[in-house]
Amino acid sequence: MGRTFTELPARSKCSRCRGRARIGLPSHNARFCPDCYLLFFSTAVQRALKRLSVPREEPLLVAVSGGKDSLTAWDILNELGYATHGLHINLGIGDFSEASRERVDAFARARGLSWSEYSLQREFGYSLPEINRRFQGKICSVCGRLKRQHLNRLAVRENYGNLVTGHNLDDEAGRLLGNLVGNRQEYVRKQSPYLPSPHPYIPAKLKPLYRLDISEIRIYCELRGIEPAEIKCPLSRGATSHYFKEALDMLEGRMPGTKRQFLFAYINTRQGETGQEADFGECCFCGHPAYADVCGVCSLKGQMEAKN
Ligand code: AMP
Ligand code: ZN
């Protein structure tokens, strides 16, 4: 991975220890030396975890794609002393999936961490390239749905009540903006860095990186020697969520701090609400929780079979 932060002038002082600062964070109006940066990062994650009220002894299942966000989440939780286990879904997308898997494996080996790998094709019956042939143009949302549903099911199968994902500040703020613009109130209501388990078959969801943005996560990776998969998914076709993130980046560039202000103001107004509502029944095919008669997985499977 290339350098992610620019060197500050030699006279720059760390906002915390007054030693030589190397990393400037305009959105916090702060500069840090590498050690104090790691402390800043870890404090942001601990603040997030405090808000998510997860007891330290509770084991956490970390959904790891092999990308920078989920490897960072896994690394910092491990550093903070949580018992963690990785969960990787191999999507079967050629070199992309091979490289992603290899990064998860290398990361876990170097730190002596345990993880499980599942194949989407084996679990669902179809690989993503096959699904892509049926759902061209919609593959990112179909893949996102499949990943979410399978992560839930696999977490339950692995006996974990808490599922961690690597969603960061940019993901959350971009998603919030998109849902507000589209007036998708049901999604807006469900958006939270912590969703308690609403059903025995659905784990609680935790996003310990929701207070940190992409550039802060990149710096963390560089300082900690984390080498994420850099290869882009060949099936991805510029999802609309990217436009919302770009819009927020533009505002952030002009008014540093806007992104966090936007997301945190929203989260603060919703403190105490649970987010997820238990308004679902059971899928008539597989018995998993579903909002309609058929769950998302069985409904997609039905569409795949019908088109075959
Ligand atoms: P994405 O929807 O690709 O932005 O990913 C959001 C989060 O979902 C990541 O930070 C991971 O925690 C998790 N995730 C994505 N892809 C996978 C995968 N193939 N296996 C396990 N977890 C994943
Ligand atoms: Zn089902």
Short mmCIF file of all heavy atoms in Angstrom, two decimals, residues 63-65 69-70 87-89 91 147 151 164-167, ligand 1:
data_model
loop_
_atom_site.label_atom_id
_atom_site.label_comp_id
_atom_site.label_asym_id
_atom_site.label_seq_id
_atom_site.Cartn_x
_atom_site.Cartn_y
_atom_site.Cartn_z
N ALA A 63 -16.80 -10.19 10.81
CA ALA A 63 -16.99 -10.49 9.38
C ALA A 63 -15.84 -9.86 8.62
O ALA A 63 -15.74 -8.63 8.57
CB ALA A 63 -18.33 -9.92 8.92
N VAL A 64 -14.97 -10.68 8.05
CA VAL A 64 -13.78 -10.14 7.39
C VAL A 64 -13.79 -10.43 5.89
O VAL A 64 -13.84 -11.57 5.45
CB VAL A 64 -12.44 -10.66 7.98
CG1 VAL A 64 -12.02 -9.83 9.16
CG2 VAL A 64 -12.51 -12.11 8.34
N SER A 65 -13.74 -9.34 5.12
CA SER A 65 -13.73 -9.49 3.66
C SER A 65 -12.31 -9.60 3.13
O SER A 65 -12.09 -10.06 2.02
CB SER A 65 -14.40 -8.26 3.04
OG SER A 65 -13.67 -7.10 3.37
N ASP A 69 -11.08 -2.15 5.99
CA ASP A 69 -11.96 -1.85 7.13
C ASP A 69 -12.11 -3.05 8.06
O ASP A 69 -11.93 -2.93 9.27
CB ASP A 69 -13.34 -1.41 6.62
CG ASP A 69 -13.24 -0.22 5.70
OD1 ASP A 69 -12.53 0.73 6.05
OD2 ASP A 69 -13.86 -0.25 4.62
N SER A 70 -12.45 -4.20 7.49
CA SER A 70 -12.71 -5.33 8.38
C SER A 70 -11.41 -5.85 9.01
O SER A 70 -11.42 -6.28 10.16
CB SER A 70 -13.48 -6.44 7.66
OG SER A 70 -12.94 -6.75 6.42
N LEU A 87 -14.82 -14.44 10.32
CA LEU A 87 -15.76 -15.18 9.46
C LEU A 87 -15.63 -14.60 8.05
O LEU A 87 -15.87 -13.40 7.85
CB LEU A 87 -17.19 -14.97 9.98
CG LEU A 87 -18.33 -15.52 9.11
CD1 LEU A 87 -18.26 -17.04 9.03
CD2 LEU A 87 -19.68 -15.10 9.67
N HIS A 88 -15.22 -15.45 7.12
CA HIS A 88 -15.03 -14.97 5.75
C HIS A 88 -15.92 -15.76 4.80
O HIS A 88 -15.96 -16.99 4.86
CB HIS A 88 -13.56 -15.13 5.35
CG HIS A 88 -13.27 -14.74 3.93
ND1 HIS A 88 -13.37 -13.44 3.48
CD2 HIS A 88 -12.92 -15.48 2.85
CE1 HIS A 88 -13.07 -13.40 2.19
NE2 HIS A 88 -12.80 -14.62 1.78
N ILE A 89 -16.63 -15.03 3.95
CA ILE A 89 -17.43 -15.71 2.93
C ILE A 89 -16.70 -15.58 1.60
O ILE A 89 -16.45 -14.46 1.12
CB ILE A 89 -18.84 -15.08 2.80
CG1 ILE A 89 -19.58 -15.17 4.14
CG2 ILE A 89 -19.64 -15.78 1.71
CD1 ILE A 89 -21.00 -14.60 4.11
N LEU A 91 -16.74 -15.48 -2.06
CA LEU A 91 -17.82 -15.19 -3.01
C LEU A 91 -17.61 -15.89 -4.35
O LEU A 91 -18.50 -15.88 -5.20
CB LEU A 91 -17.93 -13.68 -3.23
CG LEU A 91 -18.17 -12.84 -1.96
CD1 LEU A 91 -18.07 -11.36 -2.26
CD2 LEU A 91 -19.53 -13.16 -1.34
N LYS A 147 -24.94 -11.35 1.26
CA LYS A 147 -23.87 -11.36 2.28
C LYS A 147 -24.49 -11.14 3.66
O LYS A 147 -24.17 -11.86 4.60
CB LYS A 147 -22.84 -10.26 1.99
CG LYS A 147 -21.80 -10.68 0.97
CD LYS A 147 -20.60 -9.75 0.96
CE LYS A 147 -20.91 -8.40 0.39
NZ LYS A 147 -19.72 -7.61 0.07
N LEU A 151 -24.27 -13.87 6.52
CA LEU A 151 -23.49 -13.54 7.73
C LEU A 151 -24.34 -13.81 8.97
O LEU A 151 -23.87 -14.38 9.95
CB LEU A 151 -23.01 -12.08 7.71
CG LEU A 151 -21.86 -11.78 6.73
CD1 LEU A 151 -21.59 -10.27 6.65
CD2 LEU A 151 -20.57 -12.50 7.13
N VAL A 164 -19.54 -8.40 14.19
CA VAL A 164 -18.86 -7.12 13.95
C VAL A 164 -18.64 -6.96 12.44
O VAL A 164 -18.21 -7.90 11.78
CB VAL A 164 -17.49 -7.12 14.66
CG1 VAL A 164 -16.65 -5.93 14.23
CG2 VAL A 164 -17.65 -7.15 16.16
N THR A 165 -18.93 -5.78 11.92
CA THR A 165 -18.56 -5.48 10.53
C THR A 165 -17.64 -4.25 10.51
O THR A 165 -17.54 -3.52 11.49
CB THR A 165 -19.80 -5.21 9.65
OG1 THR A 165 -20.53 -4.14 10.23
CG2 THR A 165 -20.66 -6.44 9.49
N GLY A 166 -17.00 -4.04 9.35
CA GLY A 166 -16.00 -2.97 9.25
C GLY A 166 -16.58 -1.65 8.77
O GLY A 166 -15.81 -0.77 8.38
N HIS A 167 -17.90 -1.49 8.78
CA HIS A 167 -18.49 -0.23 8.28
C HIS A 167 -17.87 0.98 8.99
O HIS A 167 -17.77 1.00 10.21
CB HIS A 167 -20.00 -0.23 8.50
CG HIS A 167 -20.72 -1.22 7.64
ND1 HIS A 167 -21.12 -2.44 8.10
CD2 HIS A 167 -21.08 -1.16 6.33
CE1 HIS A 167 -21.71 -3.10 7.11
NE2 HIS A 167 -21.70 -2.34 6.03
P1 AMP B 1 -19.34 -4.06 1.99
O1 AMP B 1 -20.81 -4.32 1.99
O2 AMP B 1 -18.59 -4.82 0.96
O3 AMP B 1 -18.99 -2.61 2.08
O4 AMP B 1 -18.81 -4.68 3.37
C1 AMP B 1 -19.27 -4.23 4.61
C2 AMP B 1 -18.74 -5.15 5.70
O5 AMP B 1 -19.29 -6.46 5.50
C3 AMP B 1 -17.22 -5.36 5.68
O6 AMP B 1 -16.58 -4.34 6.42
C4 AMP B 1 -17.09 -6.71 6.33
O7 AMP B 1 -17.18 -6.60 7.75
C5 AMP B 1 -18.33 -7.45 5.84
N1 AMP B 1 -18.02 -8.24 4.62
C6 AMP B 1 -18.04 -7.82 3.33
N2 AMP B 1 -17.71 -8.83 2.48
C7 AMP B 1 -17.48 -9.91 3.25
C8 AMP B 1 -17.09 -11.26 2.98
N3 AMP B 1 -16.88 -11.69 1.72
N4 AMP B 1 -16.92 -12.10 4.02
C9 AMP B 1 -17.14 -11.68 5.29
N5 AMP B 1 -17.51 -10.43 5.60
C10 AMP B 1 -17.68 -9.54 4.61
#
